[in-house]
Structure formats: C-alpha cells, structure tokens
C-alpha cells in the first residue's frame, strides 16, 4: 500500500495511527455583567489525542458590543489581530496537557452575546521521513448577558 504522501507499507511494516485532537471550552467567568464593565472569559485548551501538538492557536471574530482589552499569560501566548483576535501558544501542548487563557473585553452595548472561539492545531508528524501537516478545527460557544443598571 502506498499512501498519498508516498509512504509505502509492506506486510513487514508496523503502522501507528496518529490521532491528534484538541478540546476547547470557553466560559464567561461572570455570565452577567453591567454595561461599561469588563467581561472576563476563560478558555481552556486540552490535548486529548495521542500526539504532542505544535502550532496551537485560538481565534475569535470581532464582536459588536464587546471591545478587546487584554489577555493573561503573556509568556505562554502571543496575541495578533488580522480581522480576528488570535492567540498562539508559544510551546508544544503535550499529550494530556491543558493550558488556560483568560481574555478581557469591555462591554459597550446591552444584550445577549454568543461569543465563539475557534481552536486550531497544525501538527507536523514525521513518520519515516515524511512530514505531514494535520489540522483539526473545533468551535465552542460561550454566552454572556450584558445588562443596563439604573443607578438611581
């Protein structure tokens, strides 16, 4: 058998199936916030596959009603913006390992927000000299409600 990358397997070959997987959860630390106050989200990214992962990044679209302020763990994550907020993990994510990222937004409108986050990986596995990119894509939604409070 010869796969699309040119790797030939014979009856004497042993095959190990790489199964790179990530799990991502995102939650509003306080699901209800007052207008013009800060909303804090916790994003947890876990390696639930059987291969160490490199090139892990989390991204989300710009939101009306939420203005990005800052993120935690500047030593573990690098932030960039190119039509969406993107945080790239500065290290490999080992099998069974989880990392946290906290992101802070100011609220500038009243309403209910569905805040989506995407977590993606680019794994380069080198099997018998063949480099293969493998990409996984996951979406997780977090709900946030912003209220106007009359301060009379």
């Amino acid at each position: 058998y010869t796969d699309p990358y040119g790797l030939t397997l014979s009856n004497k070959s042993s095959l190990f199936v790489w199964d790179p997987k990530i799990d991502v959860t995102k939650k509003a630390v306080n699901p209800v916030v007052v207008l013009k106050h800060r909303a804090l989200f916790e994003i947890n990214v876990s390696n639930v596959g059987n291969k160490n992962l490199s090139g892990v990044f989390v991204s989300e679209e710009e939101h009306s009603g939420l203005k990005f302020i800052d993120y935690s763990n500047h030593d573990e994550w690098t932030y960039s913006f190119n039509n969406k907020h993107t945080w790239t993990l500065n290290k490999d994510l080992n099998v069974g390992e989880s990392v946290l990222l906290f992101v802070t937004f100011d609220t500038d409108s009243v309403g209910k927000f569905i805040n989506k986050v995407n977590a993606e990986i680019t794994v380069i596995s080198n099997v018998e000299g063949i480099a293969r990119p493998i990409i996984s894509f996951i979406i997780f939604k977090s709900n946030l409600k912003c209220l106007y409070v009359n301060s009379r």
Side-chain angles (χ1 to χ4, degrees):
Y1 166 76
T2 301
D3 78 357
Y5 297 98
L7 177 63
T8 301
L9 299 175
S10 68
N11 59 358
K12 294 181 182 179
S13 299
S14 61
L15 177 64
F16 178 78
V17 177
W18 296 119
D19 192 19
K21 291 182 184 174
I22 55 174
D23 186 29
V24 61
T25 59
K26 181 177 184 179
K27 68 179 182 179
V29 174
N30 293 311
V32 178
V33 296
V34 177
L35 180 65
K36 302 295 182 189
H37 285 76
R38 296 219 163 141
L40 179 65
F41 294 93
E42 175 188 282
I43 301 169
N44 185 345
V45 181
S46 300
N47 182 345
V48 295
N50 66 0
K51 175 82 174 116
N52 292 345
L53 306 175
S54 59
V56 174
F57 63 95
V58 174
S59 62
E60 63 180 67
E61 302 294 325
E62 187 84 322
H63 302 283
S64 62
L66 296 174
K67 180 182 173 196
F68 175 70
I69 299 299
D70 201 4
Y71 68 102
S72 66
N73 303 343
H74 288 254
D75 54 332
E76 280 194 337
W77 297 90
T78 300
Y79 172 76
S80 62
F81 184 83
N82 188 12
N83 295 322
K84 61 183 173 181
H85 303 284
T86 303
W87 299 270
T88 303
L89 187 62
N90 296 329
K91 62 176 189 151
D92 285 352
L93 187 61
N94 297 321
V95 173
E97 183 180 13
S98 295
V99 290
L100 289 176
L101 172 65
F102 290 91
V103 293
T104 306
F105 292 85
D106 271 343
T107 57
D108 59 12
S109 68
V110 174
K112 247 185 171 177
F113 302 95
I114 303 288
N115 191 316
K116 295 181 190 176
V117 65
N118 304 322
E120 301 182 44
I121 55 173
T122 304
V123 178
I124 305 299
S125 59
N126 197 343
V127 181
E128 296 186 20
I130 308 294
R132 304 162 190 229
I134 303 167
I135 297 177
S136 179
F137 182 75
I138 296 172
I139 298 176
F140 186 81
K141 297 178 182 179
S142 178
N143 291 320
L144 174 74
K145 183 187 276 188
C146 182
L147 304 175
Y148 174 76
V149 175
N150 191 342
S151 59
R152 283 198 237 178

